Amino acid sequence: MNSYSRHGKLVRNRIPQIIRDGGTEPVFYTAGRGEYRSRLRDKLGEEVAEFLAADDDVAPEELADVLEVVRALAADLGVGEDQLEKIRAAKTAERGDFSDRIVWTGNR
């Protein structure tokens, strides 16, 4: 029994069919709205941890997984990709981005 057998794990839409194609019958259910949001937050943590542990060869794939979860979370909050981009751009205009690699160490 794996660690998800009792509690479940949020997976991508095609995973049940991929499991069937592999010759096994998956057991799954559709989460309600509140559970879905909670599981998306958990999934974000899982995907970020996988990204942080990945070497440079695998990191782009893991980062894409993080982005997929971020998009799902935004959609669940009623925020479309265009609106999310506008929010990101406004924050960048106000506070900048990370391209200058500035590390703050405190104040004097």
Side-chain angles (χ1 to χ4, degrees):
M1 180 181 281
N2 67 37
S3 63
Y4 296 110
S5 295
R6 287 183 293 151
H7 303 294
K9 174 182 176 178
L10 186 65
V11 295
R12 290 171 180 259
N13 303 7
R14 295 193 62 235
I15 297 301
Q17 187 57 49
I18 291 169
I19 292 170
R20 284 187 196 100
D21 292 348
T24 305
E25 186 59 31
V27 177
F28 63 94
Y29 67 93
T30 302
R33 184 177 172 102
E35 180 184 1
Y36 175 62
R37 184 170 291 177
S38 175
R39 289 191 180 267
L40 276 173
R41 288 173 180 255
D42 291 345
K43 185 60 128 178
L44 181 60
E46 174 189 329
E47 297 298 350
V48 167
E50 289 176 7
F51 168 74
L52 293 173
D55 62 28
D56 287 353
D57 292 335
V58 179
E61 184 175 324
E62 298 300 341
L63 195 55
D65 289 343
V66 170
L67 183 57
E68 189 68 33
V69 176
V70 167
R71 286 178 171 168
L73 279 163
D76 188 60
L77 291 168
V79 178
E81 287 187 43
D82 289 344
Q83 185 181 0
L84 189 61
E85 175 57 23
K86 285 178 185 174
I87 294 167
R88 186 209 61 77
K91 286 191 87 164
T92 297
E94 179 183 330
R95 301 180 68 105
D97 61 20
F98 299 99
S99 63
D100 288 345
R101 302 182 302 217
I102 296 170
V103 178
W104 178 48
T105 59
N107 296 332
R108 293 184 191 178

